[in-house]
Amino acid sequence: PYKQYDYMKMKKIILLTLMLSGSSWFLKAQDAVSYQTPPKVIADLLLAAPTPAVSVDGSATWMLLSGRNSYPTVEELGQPEIRVAGLRLNPNNFSPSRQNFINNFQLKHLKENKTYTITGLPANLLAGSVSWSPSENKIAFTHSSGSQVDLYVIDVATKKATRINKRPLNTVLGNAYTWVDDNTILYKSTVSTASAAPKKPITPKGPTIQQNLGKAAPSPTYQDLIKSPYDEQLFQFYATSQLVMNKNGVETLAGKPCILSSFSVSPDKKYMLQKQLQQPFSYLVTANGFPSKMIITDLSGNTVKLLVELPSTEGTPSGYDNTQNVPRAFDWRDDEAATITWAEPLDSGLIKKQVEFRDAVLALSAPFTGSPKTLFKTKLRYAGTTWGNENIALVNEISRSKQLGRVSLYNSKKESLELLYERNQTDAYGNPGSPVTAKNNFGRNVIVTVDNGTKLLMNNTTGSSPKGDLPFLAKFDLTTKQNEIIWRCNEGEFEQVSEVLDANNLVLLTRKESQKQVPNYYIKNLKLKMADRAITTFTNPYPALETVTKEKIKYKRADGVDLTGDLYLPSGYDKSKGPLPLIIWAYPREFNSAADAAQIRGSKDRFTTLSWGSPIYYVTQGYAVLDNAEMPIVASGTDKKPNDNFIEQLKLNAAAAIEHLSGMGVADKNRVAVGGHSYGAFMTANLLAHTNWFKAGIARSGAYNRTLTPFGFQNEDRTYWQAPDLYYKMSPFSYADKIKTPILLIHGEADDNTGTYPINSERLY
């Protein structure tokens, strides 16, 4: 039996659950319920202003501080919205309707340690898309008002912001603008006013028809797709833009209006790569999957070369390593003046096809009149290249189904591809980091080499280890293929390299924090070994959590797999007063390796920051909270997949957490709740359907009927028709009649995440 206090809590949870019902008998009682507010301590934590984001120029002279609100303003939420082609748009200003805006800028001179206010900023600033100019003497950003999007430029020398556009911007698709040089910016502008939008006919001209002509077209469960000819008109109207070149405030049209999905300027600033969307518009995929053409133009918008016309992605075969049998991954080569690269499948895009090589990567250089040249071929799916120079480029390959990744060294002069390392992508301990880059003579970020070009600098901002996350900076020897760590975060704190300011002299910008120390930024010199110089002094926005304790706990589940979690205990916790009610918050992950699943992830020494959906708020109300509780789902053999015994492993994970915390004397095993978001909500409903270990569950924005995601979910790439029994058994919807524990189902009615339609929560309820 519950204690009276717990009974009232359960009653409230049951009440909130019932409120999700549309049953008419409950309407009068529901009408009498007003909006509720949390205790003041939670409200204060929830509304605490976040610390500003920072961006430092390459010379570590100037820092831009970007302030922002924790949540959207009422004015932002009140803007109109159109949902079409997988997009959510504000029809009044030709921009996405859901953005996180910056509301203030400041400039700080790091050597003078002086902060400056920027003049000329628009009132009620709603800024985004911040970008330094090539020489870093200016900073551009967009500002969204209720009627249009404008482009501003901050002059660092004068600390003044100036609007530079005359034509309103169109930011509906892709990147809004790009710098050409310090005085020239290319951006997409509108071609019509909002009042000219097509009007919806009262009576349609005819039925809406879709047809399949015998070709398989598996498709994920996207929302907000085109559903009618009128939707097609809307998309064409809002997505059509005109490219404009602005040089010293003078606007010149570049090319003709089109549906420009993306554009990028060549390193030598002479050409553009454009992706233009074409009709017919699909009713099955989002705008990113519409038919398109890849073209190269000059900076005036004149076509130089049509590279390829691509079909809709409707026909992409299901399976995570499968791809369309068409060219993909078009991009400029960063270390050459004007060379386009792309990948083409050598296995017809089908991973089950037995071939020596999966993909070929080709290149075509200006003036783009010759034939493409094959640079190299990959054993796995090509996943991009980080360019350096003619001797060094790093080529990435992946196999998502095998959780495998590999990185190879490409030498343009030798035309060779040499494997550097291969690892399971779930092996956090074996991650050598990412190559440090710096700007070359084209202003493009390319790989940095040290020690006479024999080594790479590798930055691992996580640094997973048996002692927890300890970020590091390393030198990777290209001959021995070994990673030598030259700096690592001290135990007892968490410090990561945000930017390498000087690779040769090892001058770093780092972000340092601890349990009690709010994250701040420092200049660190590894060669001179000088004392770190603090360049920010942010203060703790969460004073109510200062006396809350946090520790990384370790425990085992019954089959021997090691598990961890972040345990938060209330201020003034006294074990002698008895165990606490416990909330477990988790998100399952799949592993092909039990050793990888057992690795420690996260750090007890990180400062606790709160998002709107964090479970940590409950620690202020006397609960113990186990956040980031590991819920690994591990393949039991080489011929097995993780999900083959999903429910059994969920139960092993949950039982281990409850038993361990009960054994510590921290948790009352008769007062345990479980919760999670998305796949964590799916986990929660499954645990309540298959166990009676919990007193309550909180399931937020979950998918509970896997037949609604029939072409795979998470890392499960088998389709419903290949594994119907698996889809049935993994769906808590199949066992809804077994859920006897109070469960709070929460779902945003406008959830646009692939696969988690709100109907999931409605139907499970």
Side-chain angles (χ1 to χ4, degrees), residues 683-706:
M683 167 205 76
T684 298
N686 264 312
L687 284 172
L688 298 194
H690 295 285
T691 76
N692 59 356
W693 303 336
F694 301 96
K695 283 293 182 284
I698 302 174
R700 188 175 65 218
S701 303
Y704 308 110
N705 184 344
R706 296 275 51 133

Side-chain angles (χ1 to χ4, degrees), residues 346-368:
L346 299 174
D347 56 4
S348 302
L350 302 174
I351 202 68
K352 289 185 177 180
K353 193 171 183 179
Q354 298 300 310
V355 295
E356 183 179 3
F357 297 102
R358 293 290 168 197
D359 288 329
V361 174
L362 295 85
L364 184 63
S365 299
F368 313 107

Side-chain angles (χ1 to χ4, degrees), residues 156-405:
V156 174
T158 64
K159 295 89 178 172
K160 182 180 180 181
T162 305
R163 193 186 85 177
I164 68 166
N165 64 298
K166 296 180 179 63
R167 302 170 64 102
L169 272 64
N170 184 325
T171 62
V172 164
L173 289 173
N175 52 320
Y177 72 91
T178 188
W179 287 96
V180 179
D181 57 46
D182 288 334
N183 300 308
T184 310
I185 302 183
L186 277 163
Y187 49 83
K188 292 185 286 189
S189 71
T190 60
V191 296
S192 301
T193 61
S195 61
K199 307 300 180 185
K200 187 172 184 177
I202 296 175
T203 304
K205 295 181 179 179
T208 297
I209 297 173
Q210 296 183 55
Q211 61 179 339
N212 185 294
L213 302 179
K215 184 178 180 180
S219 177
T221 49
Y222 297 115
Q223 297 201 60
D224 306 328
L225 297 178
I226 287 178
K227 300 179 178 68
S228 68
Y230 173 66
D231 284 350
E232 296 185 54
Q233 295 174 21
L234 281 181
F235 173 72
Q236 176 125 15
F237 175 81
Y238 288 110
T240 299
S241 63
Q242 169 65 59
L243 202 56
V244 174
M245 179 180 289
N246 187 311
K247 187 175 182 66
N248 293 318
V250 177
E251 292 184 330
T252 305
L253 304 186
K256 297 179 179 179
C258 64
I259 303 178
L260 186 58
S261 177
S262 64
F263 66 102
S264 61
V265 177
S266 62
D268 65 1
K269 310 296 193 292
K270 293 182 179 178
Y271 303 96
M272 279 188 287
L273 173 66
Q274 296 189 16
K275 179 182 179 180
Q276 298 180 2
L277 303 186
Q278 308 289 302
Q279 291 182 316
F281 302 141
S282 173
Y283 284 43
L284 289 179
V285 297
T286 65
N288 286 333
F290 288 179
S292 63
K293 61 181 180 180
M294 304 298 303
I295 63 173
I296 297 172
T297 71
D298 60 23
L299 291 193
S300 296
N302 301 308
T303 298
V304 174
K305 173 76 173 181
L306 171 62
L307 291 170
V308 66
E309 294 193 62
L310 298 170
S312 163
T313 60
E314 287 179 11
T316 303
S318 62
Y320 291 135
D321 293 316
N322 291 329
T323 185
Q324 278 188 296
N325 190 23
V326 297
R328 70 181 197 281
F330 289 85
D331 202 2
W332 294 107
R333 181 168 169 166
D334 293 317
D335 63 336
E336 293 188 354
T339 299
I340 286 288
T341 63
W342 66 90
E344 294 184 3
L346 299 174
D347 56 4
S348 302
L350 302 174
I351 202 68
K352 289 185 177 180
K353 193 171 183 179
Q354 298 300 310
V355 295
E356 183 179 3
F357 297 102
R358 293 290 168 197
D359 288 329
V361 174
L362 295 85
L364 184 63
S365 299
F368 313 107
T369 54
S371 299
K373 173 186 176 182
T374 298
L375 300 181
F376 51 82
K377 299 175 182 178
T378 61
K379 299 275 189 179
L380 307 179
R381 275 284 169 253
Y382 174 68
T385 300
T386 306
W387 298 99
N389 54 39
E390 61 183 2
N391 299 311
I392 294 173
L394 296 185
V395 176
N396 294 282
E397 306 171 51
I398 60 170
S399 171
R400 183 173 171 182
S401 60
K402 296 179 180 178
Q403 296 183 333
L404 188 66

Side-chain angles (χ1 to χ4, degrees), residues 450-750:
V450 293
D451 297 351
N452 297 316
T454 62
K455 298 175 183 177
L456 309 179
L457 272 182
M458 303 290 279
N459 185 16
N460 190 319
T461 58
T462 303
S464 297
S465 79
K467 296 180 179 179
D469 288 353
L470 295 169
F472 62 80
L473 189 70
K475 288 183 178 180
F476 186 92
D477 191 306
L478 293 170
T479 302
T480 65
K481 302 177 184 177
Q482 297 298 310
N483 219 29
E484 175 197 0
I485 295 176
I486 59 175
W487 170 84
R488 188 156 207 161
C489 165
N490 294 323
E491 293 182 41
E493 61 185 14
F494 185 88
E495 184 177 14
Q496 59 188 176
V497 177
S498 296
E499 194 170 339
V500 176
L501 301 172
D502 184 337
N504 292 318
N505 294 305
L506 295 177
V507 180
L508 317 174
L509 173 70
T510 69
R511 183 180 187 268
K512 188 189 302 185
E513 62 190 282
S514 69
Q515 274 198 36
K516 305 301 180 184
Q517 181 184 19
V518 69
N520 272 292
Y521 290 84
Y522 298 80
I523 301 292
K524 181 186 292 289
N525 192 313
L526 296 185
K527 268 197 173 180
L528 299 181
K529 298 182 180 179
M530 301 166 58
D532 295 353
R533 179 164 63 94
I535 58 174
T536 61
T537 55
F538 301 134
T539 57
N540 186 355
Y542 311 120
L545 296 183
E546 286 183 348
T547 53
V548 166
T549 61
K550 172 188 176 184
E551 64 174 309
K552 175 74 72 174
I553 63 168
K554 304 174 185 178
Y555 50 102
K556 286 182 181 289
R557 70 185 199 186
D559 61 357
V561 174
D562 291 318
L563 303 174
T564 63
D566 296 324
L567 177 63
Y568 293 84
L569 295 174
S571 176
Y573 166 69
D574 184 348
K575 184 176 179 180
S576 67
K577 292 183 178 180
L580 302 173
L582 170 69
I583 295 177
I584 298 174
W585 197 266
Y587 188 97
R589 293 180 60 202
E590 299 92 337
F591 295 87
N592 289 331
S593 160
D596 289 354
Q599 291 181 351
I600 296 173
R601 293 167 176 82
S603 168
K604 66 179 177 59
D605 299 310
R606 298 208 70 169
F607 183 79
T608 298
T609 56
L610 298 177
S611 68
W612 61 270
S614 172
I616 298 169
Y617 295 101
Y618 294 108
V619 79
T620 68
Q621 304 302 299
Y623 290 86
V625 177
L626 184 64
D627 194 20
N628 300 317
E630 292 287 355
M631 291 277 174
I633 308 299
V634 186
S636 57
T638 55
D639 60 338
K640 299 290 185 179
K641 293 199 174 188
N643 286 335
D644 289 347
N645 55 352
F646 178 84
I647 301 300
E648 292 77 10
Q649 293 199 60
L650 268 192
K651 293 165 69 174
L652 284 173
N653 294 324
I658 294 171
E659 291 301 322
H660 181 74
L661 288 169
S662 175
M664 289 174 62
V666 168
D668 180 348
K669 66 189 305 180
N670 294 314
R671 293 188 294 162
V672 181
V674 64
H677 176 80
S678 191
Y679 210 51
F682 171 72
M683 167 205 76
T684 298
N686 264 312
L687 284 172
L688 298 194
H690 295 285
T691 76
N692 59 356
W693 303 336
F694 301 96
K695 283 293 182 284
I698 302 174
R700 188 175 65 218
S701 303
Y704 308 110
N705 184 344
R706 296 275 51 133
T707 68
L708 298 178
T709 55
F711 296 106
F713 52 92
Q714 294 298 105
N715 285 310
E716 178 57 65
D717 62 353
R718 288 170 288 188
T719 69
Y720 167 76
W721 298 277
Q722 293 170 327
D725 191 51
L726 176 83
Y727 276 69
Y728 178 86
K729 288 182 177 179
M730 283 186 67
S731 298
F733 182 85
S734 304
Y735 306 93
D737 61 322
K738 306 298 183 185
I739 299 177
K740 307 300 182 184
T741 304
I743 181 170
L744 173 60
L745 299 170
I746 309 170
H747 213 126
E749 67 174 6

